[in-house]
């Protein structure tokens, strides 16, 4: 069967279905962690940090036979067990896991004895050349936690902020959308920083209002893209004195210029971006020609290579 996306798995859990084996892999570790949490809650009926019906193994040390034995071990207290195996790509002889595989079942049937355990394997990848991978694709829930598409970034930012019970300003959302490299754990870390600077922290509002190097980098980027030379120059010195902000700024500017050029070439038909970025690109496009953007792309590339 084909790979299943995380949203489909969540719908299945909400509808009362569960798979004996989940194989979760891909670059988005936070997305994988969130999926594992939801599966665990469905199996154990609780989000508590520890459970006597839960076992965790490491694929770098546990043998495939040991994993099968653990999965077939009944809980001392009855009911369904949850088995989590990390670094599953390191398991040798993974085809031995075949007895654990099977179709999805109703959760109430699983808890009534149809399954001894639900096993979740978290892996770096899935090597399609291996025999074990073919077995997984045929008889397990294989979930690829791929990189978040640009058009979905604002929705994930909203989800992560809601999880922290934190309201993010539209300007902050735009900055977070343009982060490079873009990973959910990086975005979550940036949200934590913003939350610490929030007015709810003593003195936080005053600190947030102060001109920081990060804000000066934002001012420089906005000034450059809006072709407000004086505004960009006013922020340039602070940016130059802050390497931790000036180097990421190169990546952000390259992203801005590349997407603006694409927007101007075809009117944004090939781009799927959030409304925040669409408004930005529409505003910037009034101030540039494609030839000017090509020159700026070349200059940014030379600057990046020279850095």
């Amino acid at each position: 069967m084909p790979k299943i996306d995380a949203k489909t798995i969540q719908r299945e859990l909400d509808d009362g279905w569960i798979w004996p084996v989940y194989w979760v892999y891909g670059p988005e570790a936070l997305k994988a962690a969130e999926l594992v949490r939801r599966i665990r809650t469905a199996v154990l009926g609780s989000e508590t940090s520890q459970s006597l019906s839960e076992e965790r193994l490491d694929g770098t040390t546990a043998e495939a036979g040991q994993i099968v034995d653990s999965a077939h071990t009944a809980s001392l207290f009855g009911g369904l067990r949850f088995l989590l195996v990390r670094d599953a790509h390191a398991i040798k002889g993974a085809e031995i896991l075949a007895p654990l595989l099977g179709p999805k079942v109703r959760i109430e049937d699983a808890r009534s004895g149809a399954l001894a355990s639900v096993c979740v394997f978290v892996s770096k990848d899935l090597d399609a050349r291996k025999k074990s991978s073919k077995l997984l694709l045929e008889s397990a829930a294989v979930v690829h936690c791929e990189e978040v598409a640009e058009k979905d970034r604002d929705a994930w930012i909203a989800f992560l902020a809601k999880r922290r019970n934190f309201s993010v300003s539209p300007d902050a959302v735009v900055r977070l959308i343009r982060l490079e490299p873009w990973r959910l754990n990086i975005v979550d870390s940036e949200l934590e920083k913003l939350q610490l600077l929030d007015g709810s922290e003593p003195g936080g509002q005053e600190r947030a209002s102060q001109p920081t190097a990060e804000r000066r980098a934002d001012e420089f980027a906005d000034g450059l893209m809006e072709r407000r030379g004086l505004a960009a120059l006013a922020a340039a010195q602070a940016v130059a004195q802050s390497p931790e902000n000036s180097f990421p700024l190169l990546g952000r500017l390259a992203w801005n210029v590349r997407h603006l050029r694409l927007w101007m070439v075809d009117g944004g038909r090939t781009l799927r971006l959030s409304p925040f970025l669409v408004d930005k690109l529409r505003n910037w496009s009034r101030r540039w020609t494609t030839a000017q953007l090509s020159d700026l792309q070349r200059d940014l590339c030379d600057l990046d290579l020279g850095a």
Side-chain angles (χ1 to χ4, degrees):
M1 64 174 295
K3 299 168 188 174
I4 308 175
D5 61 68
K7 290 182 179 178
T8 299
I9 295 296
Q10 182 57 45
R11 283 196 298 269
E12 290 181 350
L13 294 173
D14 292 340
D15 292 339
W17 292 94
I18 201 157
W19 289 80
V21 171
Y22 293 87
W23 188 277
V24 182
Y25 75 102
E28 276 294 359
L30 192 147
K31 189 186 292 189
E34 177 63 19
L35 183 60
V36 170
R37 182 189 66 80
R38 296 188 180 194
I39 297 171
R40 180 185 183 278
T41 300
V43 172
L44 301 178
S46 171
E47 292 192 21
T48 54
S49 58
Q50 294 182 340
S51 171
L52 296 176
S53 296
E54 176 180 3
E55 184 176 0
R56 302 189 178 202
L57 298 173
D58 192 319
T60 60
T61 55
E63 297 181 356
Q66 177 189 351
I67 296 171
V68 172
D69 289 342
S70 295
H72 284 159
T73 301
S75 172
L76 292 175
F77 304 95
L80 195 58
R81 294 177 68 247
F82 177 78
L83 178 63
L84 176 64
V85 183
R86 298 195 179 277
D87 292 325
H89 53 273
I91 299 172
K92 293 181 173 61
E95 58 272 11
I96 298 175
L97 302 175
L100 304 179
L101 307 179
K104 62 184 177 183
V105 300
R106 301 294 301 179
I107 292 178
E108 58 264 29
D109 293 336
R111 289 175 177 161
S112 299
L115 296 176
S117 302
V118 169
C119 305
V120 180
F121 296 84
V122 179
S123 171
K124 179 177 65 177
D125 53 25
L126 180 73
D127 189 344
R129 298 169 297 178
K130 292 183 178 180
K131 180 180 178 181
S132 57
S133 297
K134 295 177 181 178
L135 289 173
L136 289 168
L137 288 168
E138 291 172 357
S139 305
V142 177
V143 188
H144 183 203
C145 293
E146 71 278 6
E147 295 179 357
V148 175
E150 290 179 3
K151 64 182 180 64
D152 296 328
R153 289 182 177 183
D154 53 343
W156 272 99
I157 292 169
F159 167 77
L160 294 174
K162 183 178 179 181
R163 195 172 67 166
R164 290 182 171 277
N165 195 27
F166 177 58
S167 179
V168 190
S169 70
D171 287 343
V173 171
V174 172
R175 290 198 300 271
L176 292 172
I177 286 174
R178 295 186 303 195
L179 283 174
E180 291 296 340
W182 209 93
R183 289 287 186 273
L184 288 171
N185 58 348
I186 296 176
V187 174
D188 195 45
S189 177
E190 292 300 314
L191 283 171
E192 183 179 17
K193 294 177 186 177
L194 289 173
Q195 192 171 23
L196 290 173
L197 289 174
D198 186 61
S200 59
E201 182 188 10
Q205 194 64 45
E206 289 74 12
R207 284 193 296 276
S209 64
Q210 293 174 358
T212 64
E214 183 178 352
R215 287 186 182 78
R216 300 300 275 176
D218 289 338
E219 292 169 7
F220 178 85
D222 288 340
L224 178 65
M225 297 308 298
E226 294 172 7
R227 307 205 73 174
R228 294 185 291 110
L230 291 178
L233 285 173
Q237 183 175 0
V239 173
Q241 294 174 346
S242 177
E244 66 272 19
N245 286 287
S246 57
F247 285 117
L249 180 61
L250 280 175
R252 187 199 308 179
L253 291 174
W255 189 96
N256 288 346
V257 173
R258 177 168 59 89
H259 283 73
L260 178 56
R261 192 168 182 276
L262 288 173
W263 173 274
M264 294 178 65
V265 168
D266 68 358
R269 288 188 295 273
T270 60
L271 297 177
R272 301 181 67 183
L273 302 173
S274 70
F276 299 107
L277 289 176
V278 168
D279 289 341
K280 287 279 189 181
L281 293 176
R282 185 179 292 112
N283 179 41
W284 295 340
S285 66
R286 303 187 185 103
R287 295 166 167 80
W288 294 88
T289 66
T290 54
Q292 290 170 336
L293 289 172
S294 295
D295 291 340
L296 182 55
Q297 274 186 308
R298 185 165 49 253
D299 291 341
L300 288 173
C301 182
D302 292 342
L303 185 60
D304 190 22
L305 292 175

